Amino acid sequence: MSQPETEPEREAEPLKLRERAYASFTERLLAREIKPGQFVTQRELVALTGLPLGAIRELIPRLEAEGLIKTVPQRGMQVAHVDLNLIRNAFQFRLFLEREATALYAANATDAEIAEQRERHEAIIARAEAGGDETLIEDAEDVDRLMHEAIIDHLDNDIVSKAFRVTWLKIRLIRQYETRIQNHILVPVMRDHLKIITAIEARDPVRASEEMSLHIGNARMRAMNY
């Protein structure tokens, strides 16, 4: 005879559905199956994600709170636009978070963590300078993301980490238009990162913070000129 579900078990399934709905929405957004500025209905989101209407209804307040959709009176739900306002706000928020986080990372990260970051970046540059390969761009984007996430997550602050990941999602939307790490900017971006890593290796929080600020400024400039 099966045992009745406990209260935590009954709560787990709706939570799992909400997380699956969020993951499915963001994946489709980044794959351009859902486009910035597009109007969508709850039923369309059900069809796109393959998840039940209840999960979509619970997903919408989160997407609204994160600025990924907004409700337009008499028109419905609209996916966030990629415009100058989004670019300015996203990069400014990154700067506020990462400048301080980088200074703390320089002071507190282990030598092994820092060495791993350098190794990853040098490997990407070596592959690029050797002529590149089919997975180079994707791997470079992973190395890019992992460094920024490592610096943020080192704060051990769940609120900051979640806020950063929402902002990073918006940065990825912006990159779809003009700043995705392509061959012509791949090595300069990796070398920007290496300047940050060099300052971190020297345990120089001020210089590390300055190099991160310059790096984010370079990315913002590319975005503003798309």
Side-chain angles (χ1 to χ4, degrees):
M1 182 175 177
S2 63
Q3 295 295 320
E5 287 185 316
T6 65
E7 191 65 29
E9 287 172 337
R10 285 196 295 272
E11 291 176 354
E13 183 59 24
L15 177 61
K16 184 178 178 181
L17 281 175
R18 288 198 299 271
E19 293 303 319
R20 283 171 55 196
Y22 183 81
S24 182
F25 176 88
T26 55
E27 285 170 8
R28 280 153 181 77
L29 187 58
L30 294 173
R32 297 196 181 189
E33 294 175 32
I34 301 171
K35 296 179 174 59
Q38 175 183 342
F39 282 90
V40 292
T41 66
Q42 292 183 10
R43 294 292 180 184
E44 287 171 334
L45 291 178
V46 167
L48 281 165
T49 63
L51 291 164
L53 184 59
I56 297 303
R57 285 175 174 161
E58 292 187 359
L59 167 68
I60 289 167
R62 177 177 178 180
L63 297 178
E64 288 180 320
E66 293 182 356
L68 295 174
I69 64 168
K70 65 178 179 179
T71 300
V72 179
Q74 301 181 352
R75 295 200 64 185
M77 297 182 299
Q78 186 178 31
V79 180
H81 279 291
V82 173
D83 56 19
L84 292 179
N85 190 55
L86 175 65
I87 293 169
R88 182 179 63 251
N89 292 345
F91 279 99
Q92 185 180 63
F93 191 67
R94 273 192 70 190
L95 184 62
F96 289 161
L97 289 184
E98 294 191 69
R99 188 165 47 196
E100 180 66 17
T102 302
L104 293 171
Y105 189 81
N108 300 314
T110 67
D111 291 342
E113 289 174 311
I114 301 167
E116 184 177 8
Q117 293 291 350
R118 175 172 287 282
E119 182 180 346
R120 286 174 179 166
H121 285 78
E122 289 180 344
I124 291 293
I125 290 173
R127 286 167 60 187
E129 291 179 341
D133 52 70
E134 290 183 357
T135 64
L136 176 61
I137 299 296
E138 183 178 352
D139 292 345
E141 290 183 332
D142 284 342
V143 167
D144 180 29
R145 174 182 55 82
L146 287 170
M147 189 188 88
H148 290 284
E149 285 185 355
I151 289 171
I152 289 292
D153 290 345
H154 198 80
L155 296 172
D156 195 24
N157 185 315
D158 191 50
I159 294 173
V160 172
S161 291
K162 287 179 179 177
F164 175 79
R165 280 164 172 76
V166 174
T167 303
W168 191 259
L169 175 61
K170 294 173 183 177
I171 295 294
R172 287 187 65 187
L173 287 179
I174 294 165
R175 282 180 171 172
Q176 287 185 343
Y177 285 82
E178 51 62 57
T179 61
R180 189 173 186 269
I181 300 180
Q182 299 291 356
N183 287 323
H184 68 286
I185 65 167
L186 188 155
V187 172
V189 168
M190 293 294 108
R191 293 202 184 282
D192 268 4
H193 279 200
L194 283 176
K195 290 176 183 177
I196 299 166
I197 292 167
T198 297
I200 292 170
E201 288 170 332
R203 302 298 181 176
D204 188 336
V206 173
R207 185 157 63 91
S209 179
E210 289 172 350
E211 293 293 354
M212 179 60 80
S213 297
L214 289 171
H215 170 58
I216 293 172
N218 289 340
R220 181 180 181 273
M221 189 177 300
R222 287 193 298 271
M224 296 294 282
N225 290 328
Y226 80 94

